[in-house]
Structure formats: C-alpha cells, structure tokens
Amino acid sequence: MKKVLLLIFLIFNLAQPAWAMDYTAPTVPDSGADLMPAQTETFSQGLSKVLGKAIGLISPSLAEAAGVCLSLVGIVMLHSVLQTMPTDVKKVISLVSSLAIAGILLSRTSSMLSLGVKTIRELSDYGKLLLPVLTAALAAQGGVTGATALYAGTAVFDTILGTAIAKLLIPMVYGYLILAIAGTATGSERLNKLRDLVKSFVSWCLKIIIYIFTGYITITGVISGSADATAIKVTKITMSGMIPVVGGILSDASEAVLVGAGVMKNAVGTYGLLAVLSVWIAPFLQIGAQYLLLKLTGALCATFGAKEPSQLIDQFSGAMGLLLGMTAAMCTLLLVSTVCFMRGVG
Amino acid sequence: MDSFWQWVAGAMLTVVLGIALGKHSKDISLVLTMVVCCMILLAAAVYLQPVMEFVKRLQTMGQLDDGYGQILLKAVGIGLVTEFAVLICNDSGNSALGKSLQIAATVVVLWISLPLMESLLDLIERIMGGI
Amino acid sequence: MEIDLIFKIAAIGIIVTILHQVLARSGRDEQAMMTMLAGLVVVLMMMAQKIADLFELVKRLFRF
C-alpha cells in the first residue's frame, strides 16, 4: 500500500508534460531569403552554403567602396602637393581637403549606418518570432524552468540592446563623426579628446550589455537545465522501477517522445540559426568590406605624409568598426540564446 | 628628365648673374630672377600634367560628384601661384606685399570652398533631422 | 628651358649698366636714366610674356 501511494505521489510530482507538437520556425525575413539554403541537413553544411552565397552578393558593393577609396587617395595626393606652400595658405587648403574628404565619406557612412540599423531591427523582430517557438519546444522537452528563464532573459536583453543601439549608440556614432570632422578642420585638441571619449563610451556600452547577457545565460541555462534533466531522469527511473511489467516500456516510450521533441527542437533551432545568420551576414560583409578598405586607404594616405586627412579617414573607419560591433552583438545575442535552447536540458 | 639638370644649372647661373647685375641695377636683376622662376615653374607644371590626369582618373573611378575635386584643384592652383608671387615679393624686400598677397589668397580659397562647406552642412543637417 | 633667354636678359642688363655709366660720367644724366628705363622696359616685356604663359598653363592645368 505504501509503495503504491509513494508511486502515485512521485508520478504526480515528477512527471513532466512531454508531447511532440508540430514546431516550425518562423520564416526568414525577405532580406535573408536569398541566402537561405533550400534544405538544411546539418548546421555546418547550411552555414557554408549561406556564406558562399553571401560572398557572391557583396561584389558590387565592394566595387563601389573601392571607388570611394580611390577618390580619397586622389584628394590626399593633391593635399600632399601642398606641403611646400606658405603656412597660411597651407592651413586653409588643408581645411578644404579635410572638408572634401568628410563630404565624400559622410554620405557613404550614413547609408552604411542606416543599413546597420535596419539589419539590427530585422534581427530583433525575427528573434521575437523565433524565441517563443524555441521556448515552447524546450518546454515540451521538459525544461520548463530553463525555457522560461532563457526566454525572459533573451527577450529583455534583445529589447535593451535594440533600443540602446537605435536610440543611444547610433546618434553617438554620428556625434563621433561630426566631432572628428570638426576636430580635423580646426585642429582643436579638446574636440579630439571629446571624440575619443565618445568612441570609448560606445564600445564600453556594447561590451557591458553582451557580458551581462552571456553571464545571465550561462548561469540560468546551466542551473535550470541540470535541474530539469535530473527531474526527467528520476521520472524515468521511478516509472521503470515502480510500475511492474509495463514500467520499462513506458519509460522507453517517454524517452522516445523526449528525443523526438528534442530532434524537432533542433531542426527548428538549426533553421533559426541559419535564418539569423543569413539576415545578418550580407550587411555585415558589406560594412566589413568598407571598414577594411577605409583602413587600407588611411594607411596608404599616411605614406603620402598627409597626417590629418589620413587621421580623418581612420576615424571614419573606426565608426564603421563600431557599427560592425553593434550588428555582431545583436547577432551574437540571438545565436547564443538559440544554441542554449538547442543544448536544451543538458 | 634631362631638363631637370638644365633647370638646376639655369638656376645657379641666374644666381651668379643676378649678383653681378645687382651691384649696378637691382631692378634688372630682380626681373631676371622672376623670369627664371617663371620658366622653372612652367617646365615643372608640364611634368605636373600627367599627375593631374591620374588624379582626375581616380576621381572618375570613384564616380563621385566632381565638385569636391574641382574645388580642391582650384585651391591648389591658387596656392602655387601665390607661393611664387610671395617669394618674389619677399626676395625683393617687400614683405608687406607678400603678406597681403598671402591673406588675399587665403580668403579666396575660403570663398572657393564655400559650396563644399555648404553641402557638408546640408548633409549634417539632414542626418540630424533623421535621427 | 631657354638658357639663351637668361643670357639675353643678362646681356641687356650689362649693356644698360655700361651705357648708364658712360652717359653718367660724361654728364648726361637724363639720358643715362632713360637708357636705364628703356632697358628695364625691354626686359619687363620679355618677362610679361613668360608670366602670361605660366598663368595660362596654371589655369589650364587646374581647370579654372
């Protein structure tokens, strides 16, 4: 009698709901649709397909970026002709060449920045669609506490990061650029220091948010995961031990259901990962190409001996670098949380 | 390239002749210096032409609004000519004239670059409005 | 680079100087001064041509 009561008590307390529902990941938004591979077997295969297509897509923007850099070199060559001028005229012509460089680069940088903001917004929206599906799938596999904690954390950080980038960090990047232009044009040390301060603040913000998020994920993911894994193990042992004759069969069946839900969740997770990557990768490569080319141009111009124009070009490439960091942060947030969901209950 | 050595030789020659003439007629000596400066700059400008063609080619490859490059080009031209005139003025001891020319050239370069500064300001305004 | 132009100007300068000295010594000061001025004007005309060439080239090169 006692045994039966104990069995009933254990079953009610430890049995976790496990059913294999039909989970489909939300469809990838249009911007990534070209890059998604038609069939995804494993994650690494899908990844190489996405990368291949993305690299093919960026060649026209690469040509445009190269053109911009060439005209910059032309301007700096003209500037270097002026090194022998009398001082007053040299200063003014230096100012004019800095302004010319600024004019060329500012419109280009501005379009890159809007591209970055658009990508981040798309990633954020897609995450809001993907995460509930993953949460439900993980909960179905038995990790309810883990799923809820993971979902809550990711949603909060998603919102924080997205809002911080759109409302605070991108305007600060513009401020950084304008300070750089003004600082180079007037040669004022104070403006230069202010500009460096703005840049450090932006990178510090990004790092803090990502560190806190990763820490949160690690802590909650590990603890919730292992608690639920233990619960499932205990359920299975109890079922096979206590229930005579059919206990073993039932426990095997439950494991099959759990594994099936796990596979389903992983297919959803893989598709989600590839979708996030395909939305993110083409803009990232475009911005990255511009960043590298600008850095190269700055180094080349420094060899002409034109110190100030090459510094200005370097600062513009720094702004591109900040933008890369922001898009990568958003992408990392979604990828890390998706992988945690996929890792599931341990 | 041979002409470079010619220029150097010509300049040395002019220095000596200038000193010889300068004892009796400073004005002709000055005119001699001016003429030789002119000739050297003329010859140098001929060599500058392919460089300018190259810069122009770079600009067209960038497919950008040619306005910026034009403004800078004009500013460089003004700077070169002013440099020449100021040096002559200073050489003849008339540094007041040289300084006034410098100031005038600075102002003219600023005036030329006005469209550039205006379009930059417009761009910044547009960006600020968009944020 | 026309070296002969340099020599021409230098020659004019020397001739003018010599004439000036000769005329001044023999007491004809106004004529001495006029030779001086004449030499200066001749040399200036040569120079004006060269400077005009220079400015023309600069205008063409820098697309004014």
Side-chain angles (χ1 to χ4, degrees):
Chain A
M1 191 54 200
K2 257 199 207 161
K3 247 193 185 176
V4 174
L5 279 175
L6 185 60
L7 172 64
I8 294 173
F9 175 71
L10 278 173
I11 287 179
F12 275 141
N13 278 351
L14 298 175
Q16 309 284 341
W19 58 91
M21 265 173 40
D22 195 17
Y23 293 109
T24 40
T27 34
V28 65
D30 290 329
S31 56
D34 299 330
L35 296 172
M36 277 301 280
Q39 230 186 351
T40 63
E41 286 99 18
T42 63
F43 177 61
S44 38
Q45 270 185 334
L47 180 62
S48 46
K49 280 191 199 158
V50 168
L51 271 178
K53 283 193 204 168
I55 292 180
L57 274 181
I58 63 162
S59 22
S61 55
L62 202 62
E64 207 186 320
V68 169
C69 293
L70 281 174
S71 46
L72 283 179
V73 171
I75 288 188
V76 177
M77 273 179 83
L78 274 180
H79 177 98
S80 64
V81 168
L82 314 169
Q83 298 302 329
T84 56
M85 298 282 148
T87 337
D88 289 346
V89 188
K90 181 156 61 167
K91 262 195 240 164
V92 172
I93 299 188
S94 199
L95 167 72
V96 173
S97 62
S98 308
L99 288 181
I101 293 177
I104 293 176
L105 282 179
L106 196 58
S107 51
R108 179 127 187 105
T109 311
S110 163
S111 65
M112 287 280 131
L113 281 170
S114 357
L115 176 66
V117 169
K118 175 168 155 279
T119 310
I120 291 175
R121 198 166 296 146
E122 276 184 356
L123 282 175
S124 175
D125 291 339
Y126 186 72
K128 291 195 174 73
L129 292 175
L130 178 67
L131 289 173
V133 173
L134 287 174
T135 316
L138 181 54
Q141 208 193 15
V144 176
T145 12
T148 335
L150 205 53
Y151 178 63
T154 310
V156 163
F157 277 100
D158 186 338
T159 319
I160 289 181
L161 191 61
T163 321
I165 287 180
K167 294 272 161 39
L168 177 66
L169 294 180
I170 293 279
M172 290 197 88
V173 171
Y174 277 120
Y176 167 74
L177 284 176
I178 291 179
L179 279 174
I181 296 173
T184 313
T186 59
S188 154
E189 259 312 300
R190 203 176 301 166
L191 285 176
N192 289 343
K193 289 222 160 52
L194 200 59
R195 169 204 77 209
D196 290 332
L197 186 66
V198 170
K199 184 171 183 197
S200 338
F201 177 73
V202 172
S203 28
W204 176 83
C205 254
L206 271 179
K207 282 187 200 155
I208 289 268
I209 296 181
I210 288 293
Y211 281 161
I212 298 182
F213 169 72
T214 320
Y216 175 84
I217 287 288
T218 320
I219 294 176
T220 54
V222 165
I223 295 179
S224 319
S226 53
D228 295 338
T230 324
I232 288 186
K233 279 207 176 74
V234 168
T235 312
K236 281 168 63 175
I237 291 173
T238 317
M239 283 180 101
S240 65
M242 296 291 183
I243 302 178
V245 181
V246 295
I249 302 169
L250 269 181
S251 82
D252 286 344
S254 73
E255 192 180 41
V257 167
L258 287 172
V259 167
V263 166
M264 184 80 68
K265 177 170 68 74
N266 278 345
V268 166
T270 313
Y271 182 88
L273 278 178
L274 287 175
V276 166
L277 278 173
S278 59
V279 168
W280 168 78
I281 199 149
F284 181 78
L285 284 177
Q286 217 175 334
I287 300 175
Q290 179 79 85
Y291 168 73
L292 283 176
L293 279 174
L294 277 179
K295 261 234 167 341
L296 215 65
T297 315
L300 188 62
C301 294
T303 63
F304 284 133
K307 200 178 66 151
E308 276 158 9
S310 66
Q311 264 182 353
L312 188 59
I313 298 177
D314 273 338
Q315 279 140 28
F316 270 91
S317 78
M320 291 274 131
L322 286 174
L323 185 63
L324 282 179
M326 286 186 231
T327 47
M330 195 62 180
C331 184
T332 313
L333 193 131
L334 283 177
L335 286 180
V336 162
S337 54
T338 310
V339 166
C340 281
F341 275 110
M342 280 169 79
R343 227 177 41 186
V345 292
Chain B
M1 201 47 210
D2 288 333
S3 36
F4 181 66
W5 317 122
Q6 275 186 339
W7 304 345
V8 176
M12 301 284 118
L13 190 62
T14 313
V15 167
V16 172
L17 284 174
I19 293 182
L21 280 174
K23 273 190 278 219
H24 305 286
S25 43
K26 277 220 186 89
D27 33 15
I28 296 194
S29 156
L30 179 66
V31 172
L32 179 64
T33 316
M34 278 173 78
V35 169
V36 177
C37 272
C38 236
M39 287 200 282
I40 293 183
L41 281 180
L42 261 173
V46 169
Y47 276 86
L48 199 55
Q49 196 152 12
V51 176
M52 289 300 165
E53 295 291 317
F54 180 69
V55 169
K56 189 173 151 198
R57 194 173 145 209
L58 281 177
Q59 301 279 41
T60 38
M61 273 180 86
Q63 296 148 13
L64 284 169
D65 181 19
D66 202 28
Y68 294 160
Q70 281 276 66
I71 290 177
L72 194 58
L73 217 53
K74 283 191 192 164
V76 172
I78 291 180
L80 269 175
V81 171
T82 316
E83 167 85 1
F84 161 67
V86 164
L87 285 175
I88 298 281
C89 290
N90 287 345
D91 249 1
S92 63
N94 211 337
S95 57
L97 215 50
K99 198 67 183 174
S100 332
L101 263 183
Q102 266 188 24
I103 295 177
T106 314
V107 170
V108 169
V109 167
L110 276 177
W111 176 78
I112 279 189
S113 56
L114 261 183
L116 176 65
M117 296 200 248
E118 274 177 11
S119 72
L120 191 62
L121 214 57
D122 282 339
L123 192 59
I124 293 181
E125 232 178 355
R126 211 162 11 111
I127 290 177
M128 292 294 206
I131 293 183
Chain C
M1 176 81 172
E2 296 111 22
I3 307 256
D4 44 338
L5 187 59
I6 302 183
F7 283 124
K8 261 192 230 167
I9 299 184
I12 293 181
I14 294 176
I15 291 175
V16 163
T17 314
I18 294 178
L19 277 177
H20 179 96
Q21 296 285 16
V22 163
L23 287 170
R25 290 285 157 70
S26 53
R28 298 179 201 172
D29 279 331
E30 313 85 25
Q31 282 164 358
M33 204 171 62
M34 283 201 309
T35 1
M36 199 67 157
L37 279 176
L40 194 58
V41 165
V42 168
V43 163
L44 268 176
M45 281 193 333
M46 290 179 181
M47 179 197 81
Q49 184 55 44
K50 276 293 163 193
I51 290 198
D53 283 344
L54 178 66
F55 285 1
E56 203 54 42
L57 183 62
V58 166
K59 268 198 234 174
R60 197 163 37 95
L61 206 57
F62 292 96
R63 270 180 282 150
F64 269 88

